[in-house]
Amino acid sequence: MKKIVTFGEIVVEIMALEPGEGFKKAIPLIGPFPSGAPAIFIDQAAKMGQPGGLVSAVGNDDFGALNIERLRRDGVDVSAILVHPTAATGSAFVRYRPDGERDFIFNIRHSACSAIGLTADAEKLIESADHLHIMGSALFSDGIVAAIHEATVRIKARGGTVSFDPNIRKEMLDLPGMRQALAHALENTDLFMPSGAEIFLFTKATEEKAAVDELLARGIKAVVIKRGAEGASYFDRAGEVFSPAFKVEEVDPTGAGDSFGAAFVTCWLRGMEPAAALRIANAAGARAVSVKGPMEGTSTMAEIEAFLEAQGASA
Ligand code: ATP
Ligand code: MG
């Protein structure tokens, strides 16, 4: 089976129990939960039985141990997660506003995550990988940008494949080197997985179908657009497939895109038809939003099959 490698932040998430505005007074919180977009992604793939590892860093503290233990339990190769001797594990505090928007306080760039780079363990993991998943949110330090660049070159040179989820906040676009890093990722991407308007991040076109065609013409093999509660669409040169989302109660949307993405990439690496892969990925996304906690809603294949059966849409 093909092995996936991804790079980026491991954090704990601590969330406000009640919606409201920010963190300027004492409020009830719940956490720590294991989190970080690349960590959620690789956890979801491993739970489906796909070999995969994460290049990351945590502190020598309980937050780090909590994350490593969860990833190891779920079958992730944790050999390239560095334990930083002095810096603390990254963290994210999140509170929902009444309108559904979120306020975040991140401590990532100056946490143990600042040490993520091309270590000897990372090089070994890259050597063992057939597929690279690039998470745009992970491109927050020169060390990671350089390591992902190197992994892209090495894995493509061996005939491996690359998927890319831009997963980017607008403020990140103006960080030094970011546009070049994103351009290099896109140039080497086989499977591009934006959500909603992210499809226009790299195109001249301002209409969806034209933007997809522009990306396919540049050599990308397939594009998957995540559409939240609507579902998702797949495009390649042969055409388009749409798959509606499942109706579930949205308890916590954080991590849905990462779970969806990992489930889709896993199915794609197994050579599954796009329609079947979208159905499975939509199920993984739906299960993710139904559970509180970013990584708490990742799914095994058995859980996805049981969900599909309950929805009357067997895989
Ligand atoms: P993230 O906030 O994790 O970055 P995203 O914007 O990348 O999310 P979304 O499009 O929000 O990704 O969600 C990914 C997938 O999860 C959707 O394509 C859909 O399959 C599923 N999903 C998301 N929200 C819902 C919902 N409310 N009900 C059912 N399924 C959902
Ligand atoms: Mg996303």
Side-chain angles (χ1 to χ4, degrees):
M1 254 202 283
K2 290 183 173 157
K3 183 167 179 176
I4 304 172
V5 62
T6 192
F7 291 70
E9 68 280 11
I10 284 178
V11 303
V12 285
E13 185 171 305
I14 296 170
M15 57 177 96
L17 280 178
E18 282 141 28
E21 306 281 328
F23 293 97
K24 285 187 180 143
K25 62 181 176 50
I27 48 168
L29 302 164
I30 187 166
F33 291 104
S35 192
I40 297 165
F41 180 95
I42 208 68
D43 188 76
Q44 172 60 61
K47 272 193 168 181
M48 289 172 78
Q50 201 68 20
L54 173 63
V55 177
S56 190
V58 296
N60 185 15
D61 53 32
D62 285 353
F63 289 170
L66 165 84
N67 271 290
I68 290 180
E69 278 163 25
R70 170 67 64 87
L71 293 170
R72 186 184 283 128
R73 183 199 80 185
D74 290 345
V76 173
D77 178 342
V78 298
S79 63
I81 301 176
L82 177 149
V83 178
H84 197 290
T86 52
T89 300
S91 59
F93 287 75
V94 60
R95 187 173 194 191
Y96 284 88
R97 294 199 203 132
D99 64 4
E101 289 297 300
R102 288 172 278 185
D103 285 320
F104 283 105
I105 297 179
F106 290 114
N107 176 30
I108 299 178
R109 291 177 68 184
H110 301 290
S111 73
C113 290
S114 66
I116 304 172
L118 201 61
T119 59
D121 288 331
E123 296 203 61
K124 244 191 255 166
L125 181 55
I126 293 166
E127 279 320 300
S128 74
D130 308 286
H131 181 85
L132 168 67
H133 181 72
I134 302 175
M135 197 60 97
S137 62
L139 298 164
F140 57 79
S141 76
D142 294 345
I144 299 195
V145 167
I148 291 177
H149 186 105
E150 194 53 37
T152 306
V153 171
R154 291 188 198 177
I155 289 173
K156 289 295 278 198
R158 289 204 302 273
T161 46
V162 173
S163 51
F164 176 30
D165 179 347
N167 204 14
I168 197 164
R169 282 167 289 127
K170 281 265 179 278
E171 314 86 73
M172 285 177 73
L173 277 176
D174 297 318
L175 293 177
M178 182 60 97
R179 287 189 189 267
Q180 296 91 300
L182 292 170
H184 187 259
L186 195 69
E187 246 166 63
N188 288 285
T189 293
D190 299 286
L191 176 60
F192 183 52
M193 313 186 75
S195 58
E198 286 172 349
I199 184 73
F200 304 116
L201 274 173
F202 307 107
T203 63
K204 289 196 196 74
T206 52
E207 184 270 316
E208 187 179 280
K209 189 65 177 71
V212 168
D213 288 342
E214 196 179 321
L215 292 166
L216 294 175
R218 274 197 231 163
I220 290 174
K221 292 195 190 77
V223 176
V224 172
I225 302 183
K226 290 168 274 169
R227 305 186 192 278
E230 311 264 285
S233 301
Y234 171 94
F235 304 84
D236 62 16
R237 271 173 210 95
E240 172 181 355
V241 183
F242 170 74
S243 186
F246 294 100
K247 299 239 173 316
V248 292
E249 193 201 341
E250 184 174 300
V251 175
D252 180 0
T254 307
D258 312 323
S259 299
F260 172 97
F264 190 88
V265 167
T266 294
C267 293
W268 185 78
L269 288 172
R270 294 176 184 183
M272 212 176 271
E273 287 301 319
L278 283 179
R279 230 168 15 245
I280 288 172
N282 277 333
R287 281 183 45 85
V289 301
S290 326
V291 181
K292 205 183 205 56
M295 200 189 283
E296 307 311 299
T298 52
S299 310
T300 63
M301 201 62 207
E303 287 167 337
I304 289 171
E305 277 162 7
F307 176 89
L308 288 172
E309 197 153 313
Q311 296 275 339
S314 78

